[in-house]
Amino acid sequence: MALLLLLVTLTTCAATPQDLASKMFTFPEETNTAHVKLLTTKQDLSAVTVCLRSFTDLLRGHVLFSLATSHAFHDFMIYKDTNDYFSLRARNKRAPFEFQGYKLNEWNAICSTWDATSGIIQLWVNGKPSSRKFVSSGSDIIGPMSIVLGQFPDSQGGGFLTYLSFIGMISDVHMWDSVLSPCEIQNYSNELSFTPGNVLNWNALDFQITGRVLLEDKQRIC
Ligand SMILES: *[C@@H]1O[C@H](CO)[C@@H](O)[C@H](O)[C@H]1NC(C)=O
């Protein structure tokens, strides 16, 4: 009986992945608390592709995707700085990218790829590739991953940095444990067919919302 109860409890607590097709997360205000945690069971990544869509009017710097492990606080990060300037991070190392054509008040398709063997990191904004730059090679992203949308983890004291938080909408988050081909990235960006992420899949997403983040239907203009 006790075992049965335990099983029932476990089943109820186990997160059920949700299909978020044509949904978006809305981050409607500046805080240092509101965020979405994305859950995965993967614990060793020798290569990464992260794709997502974002919509914002923020002129200040803001984080779009953050992955931390116990080994590296910024184990993988997509950060949009002021002007048309991006910072990508892998294994705590950073590479800068200028003038990629990020648009305010519109949806942007953003992808970042990294490979631990070559150490090359690359940014794609709306299907347009950046220069290929070196960040970090020779070691994988390893261990339980804390993946956060909406907040920039403060490497000093835990917690989040209000002034780098995200305000706007994020959708279509996928993550793969490989570097996607340019054709697949183009397909993602143009909303054509692509293989969903095998680390994070927007069509079967395991997530936890903390604070004022809304899960809403994407607005279609008719
Ligand atoms: C890209 O999309 C086209 C059209 O849907 C499809 O035929 C093609 O197989 C896709 N390519 C990849 C690499 O997924």
Side-chain angles (χ1 to χ4, degrees):
M1 186 63 195
L3 180 66
L4 184 67
L5 267 180
L6 179 67
L7 279 176
V8 170
T9 319
L10 280 178
T11 324
T12 331
C13 290
T16 9
Q18 287 186 47
D19 183 356
L20 301 188
S22 71
K23 303 258 183 204
M24 62 187 184
F25 289 125
T26 300
F27 301 82
E29 62 178 357
E30 185 171 81
T31 74
N32 65 350
T33 51
H35 65 278
V36 182
K37 255 192 180 337
L38 306 181
L39 309 172
T40 179
T41 52
K42 284 261 156 73
Q43 296 211 1
D44 186 347
L45 303 174
S46 60
V48 176
T49 301
V50 171
C51 289
L52 56 83
R53 285 192 169 76
S54 69
F55 185 114
T56 186
D57 65 353
L58 282 174
L59 293 171
R60 64 161 170 76
H62 54 277
V63 63
L64 293 170
F65 183 94
S66 155
L67 186 165
T69 65
S70 59
H71 304 285
F73 225 78
H74 300 142
D75 231 342
F76 197 78
M77 178 179 274
I78 305 175
Y79 174 75
K80 167 69 178 52
D81 211 321
T82 50
N83 300 320
D84 196 5
Y85 171 79
F86 277 84
S87 255
L88 300 182
R89 286 179 172 84
R91 315 253 47 228
N92 275 349
K93 300 286 183 352
R94 193 178 74 86
F97 295 88
E98 301 271 11
F99 292 105
Q100 289 292 124
Y102 186 80
K103 301 182 191 100
L104 298 183
N105 297 312
E106 283 183 35
W107 285 102
N108 291 268
I110 315 258
C111 296
S112 172
T113 68
W114 171 74
D115 171 59
T117 307
S118 66
I120 295 295
I121 199 160
Q122 189 170 24
L123 176 68
W124 294 74
V125 177
N126 299 317
K128 198 175 125 228
S130 72
S131 296
R132 293 165 60 72
K133 300 197 178 181
F134 178 82
V135 267
S136 171
S137 67
S139 61
D140 294 3
I141 295 172
I142 287 188
M145 298 176 202
S146 169
I147 302 177
V148 169
L149 300 178
Q151 294 289 345
F152 189 102
D154 177 4
S155 53
Q156 304 309 315
F160 298 121
L161 299 173
T162 314
Y163 62 94
L164 298 178
S165 65
F166 179 79
I167 307 169
M169 295 88 85
I170 290 179
S171 183
D172 299 337
V173 185
H174 288 272
M175 180 169 175
W176 298 260
D177 62 358
S178 61
V179 171
L180 257 55
S181 72
C183 180
E184 282 171 307
I185 291 178
Q186 296 282 349
N187 271 15
Y188 171 86
S189 306
N190 296 328
E191 301 192 63
L192 299 174
S193 63
F194 62 91
T195 311
N198 63 348
V199 181
L200 299 173
N201 177 356
W202 190 252
N203 303 109
L205 197 70
D206 224 343
F207 64 95
Q208 289 166 354
I209 291 178
T210 301
R212 183 165 289 131
V213 181
L214 309 173
L215 179 59
E216 303 185 291
D217 288 331
K218 257 189 170 179
Q219 292 175 310
R220 299 282 175 198
I221 292 154
C222 61

